[in-house]
Amino acid sequence: MKLVVTFSRKAGKNPIIAQVVRETGVLINVERALIDSSEGEALIDIPDGSCAMVKERLAALGAPFLVLEDVITLDSSRWVVCGACISF
């Protein structure tokens, strides 16, 4: 399952993802992250069976997150070679 974790100015200096990995033992794959000195967000991928535990720890650490439930798929019958899908 994929989550988008948001980091605030206050929490930005704390290693939240590392702390969740250490406390839960769940290996988290960071697929993309954009974090600066004031805020940021990270797209993480976690095993489906461990999702509840990771979400609970993120919430306890004050890191808001959004669950990405829908997967982007390519419908080749509607493909017009415009390049818009490349950014995704």
Side-chain angles (χ1 to χ4, degrees), residues 1-70:
M1 175 167 286
K2 295 185 188 298
L3 303 176
V4 176
V5 183
T6 305
F7 301 94
S8 67
R9 179 181 305 248
K10 179 182 173 186
K13 299 193 186 281
N14 298 329
I16 292 174
I17 294 175
Q19 188 171 346
V20 171
V21 170
R22 185 182 66 194
E23 292 176 2
T24 63
V26 176
L27 296 179
I28 295 174
N29 184 28
V30 178
E31 294 188 351
R32 184 175 4 156
L34 178 58
I35 302 170
D36 60 25
S37 61
S38 62
E39 63 185 5
E41 67 179 26
L43 174 63
I44 63 172
D45 187 23
I46 55 176
D48 289 340
S50 304
C51 188
M53 183 172 27
V54 170
K55 290 191 310 187
E56 180 181 306
R57 287 308 305 145
L58 286 170
L61 293 168
F65 59 87
L66 173 67
V67 178
L68 299 181
E69 296 182 17
D70 297 324

